[in-house]
Amino acid sequence: MDKVEMGIEEQHEMVAKAFVNHYYHLFDTNRAALATLYHHTSMLSFEGQKFLGVEDIGRKLTQLPFEQCKHFISTIDSQLSPFGGGILVFVSGNLQLSGEEHQLKFSQMFQLIPLPHGSFCVQNDIFRLNYG
Amino acid sequence: MDKVEMGIEEQHEMVAKAFVNHYYHLFDTNRAALATLYHHTSMLSFEGQKFLGVEDIGRKLTQLPFEQCKHFISTIDSQLSPFGGGILVFVSGNLQLSGEEHQLKFSQMFQLIPLPHGSFCVQNDIFRLNYG
């Protein structure tokens, strides 16, 4: 057997991991570019505040009140969404803001939706710090 | 105006809150009944372990290695899913196991899918403890 068959579960787990690596790498190195991962119906809930669409979400992400941060990912869980080939991604980890001594714990979930040319965009994004 | 119009955002936030109250009340008082909230294609990821369908999920939830627990909910976020009228619900909080001194922090996400007769079932469920 030359052909390696990949199960649908392995496929969406691979997409989820690749997305998570890409997302937080962009967040930590070129935050303004994150907006390209969203589209006009995308939703972001950030610490309870709601944002809709590329411009609104991009503005929020670039105007966060810190210069730099670094994410450390602890867990990535993914599941298929029942409609439209979407993938639910659930992330937990820590983030370190520049100039701050202590790391902050966070959890974040995404729904990724497939685009016609084979990539994915972020349809849903919910972020919460996990306070102590 | 006698009729009170409720926006679609208020509607799904109300469903999310009612679901969260119902789910954790059942979890803390009658855990075996939780299985009725799932259906045959439902998925649960519990601390990285995957379970599929009512029986498998119900068995996992009833066989968790503690008798009783109490959930304290800190935040509930919800967004509409783009297909099929689904609602994404993201919960953070603490749980207290009987006989344990300290509470544990957790995050959990659900995708709720509407049923024909007006109620919802849990299609996706991802649970993680947030370790310190």
Side-chain angles (χ1 to χ4, degrees):
Chain A
M1 262 186 34
D2 290 322
K3 198 173 156 196
V4 177
E5 293 282 347
M6 189 183 280
I8 195 157
E9 184 141 339
E10 286 78 17
Q11 282 180 43
H12 75 74
E13 285 182 357
M14 207 176 67
V15 171
K17 277 183 193 165
F19 166 76
V20 167
N21 288 336
H22 183 56
Y23 183 90
Y24 294 106
H25 177 72
L26 271 190
F27 201 114
D28 296 350
T29 59
N30 182 14
R31 211 188 312 158
L34 281 179
T36 61
L37 303 179
Y38 297 85
H39 71 151
H40 67 286
T41 67
S42 301
M43 288 172 262
L44 166 65
S45 296
F46 189 92
E47 288 286 283
Q49 282 185 291
K50 295 199 169 195
F51 303 91
L52 176 66
V54 178
E55 288 75 18
D56 202 20
I57 293 172
R59 193 179 308 119
K60 174 63 183 176
L61 293 176
T62 52
Q63 292 182 353
L64 288 169
F66 48 84
E67 283 288 308
Q68 279 205 298
C69 70
K70 186 155 172 49
H71 289 80
F72 302 92
I73 304 306
S74 304
T75 64
I76 304 171
D77 293 295
S78 63
Q79 291 182 0
L80 282 177
S81 195
F83 305 105
I87 300 174
L88 297 168
V89 184
F90 186 93
V91 181
S92 74
N94 293 280
L95 59 87
Q96 175 85 51
L97 301 183
S98 57
E100 296 285 334
E101 190 181 354
H102 296 293
Q103 294 188 356
L104 301 170
K105 298 185 72 56
F106 75 95
S107 302
Q108 191 162 10
M109 63 147 289
F110 302 92
Q111 179 160 220
L112 309 180
I113 298 292
L115 296 174
H117 52 279
S119 65
F120 286 80
C121 73
V122 178
Q123 175 64 37
N124 299 93
D125 179 353
I126 301 179
F127 173 90
R128 280 282 178 184
L129 289 172
N130 300 133
Y131 290 109
Chain B
M1 262 184 39
D2 290 322
K3 199 173 156 195
V4 177
E5 294 281 347
M6 189 182 282
I8 195 157
E9 184 140 340
E10 286 78 17
Q11 280 180 45
H12 75 73
E13 285 183 357
M14 207 176 66
V15 171
K17 278 185 190 161
F19 166 77
V20 167
N21 288 337
H22 183 56
Y23 183 89
Y24 294 106
H25 178 71
L26 270 190
F27 201 114
D28 296 350
T29 59
N30 181 14
R31 212 188 311 159
L34 280 179
T36 62
L37 302 178
Y38 297 85
H39 73 150
H40 66 287
T41 67
S42 301
M43 288 173 261
L44 166 65
S45 296
F46 188 91
E47 288 287 283
Q49 283 185 290
K50 293 200 169 193
F51 304 90
L52 176 66
V54 179
E55 289 75 18
D56 202 21
I57 293 172
R59 194 179 308 119
K60 174 63 183 176
L61 293 175
T62 51
Q63 291 182 355
L64 287 169
F66 48 82
E67 284 285 306
Q68 280 204 299
C69 71
K70 185 154 172 50
H71 289 80
F72 302 92
I73 305 307
S74 302
T75 64
I76 304 172
D77 292 296
S78 63
Q79 289 182 1
L80 281 178
S81 194
F83 304 106
I87 300 173
L88 297 168
V89 185
F90 186 92
V91 182
S92 74
N94 293 279
L95 57 86
Q96 176 85 51
L97 301 182
S98 56
E100 296 285 334
E101 191 182 351
H102 296 293
Q103 294 189 356
L104 301 170
K105 298 186 71 59
F106 75 95
S107 301
Q108 190 162 11
M109 63 146 291
F110 302 92
Q111 180 159 220
L112 309 181
I113 298 292
L115 296 173
H117 52 280
S119 64
F120 286 80
C121 74
V122 179
Q123 175 64 37
N124 300 92
D125 179 353
I126 301 179
F127 173 89
R128 281 282 178 184
L129 289 172
N130 301 131
Y131 290 109

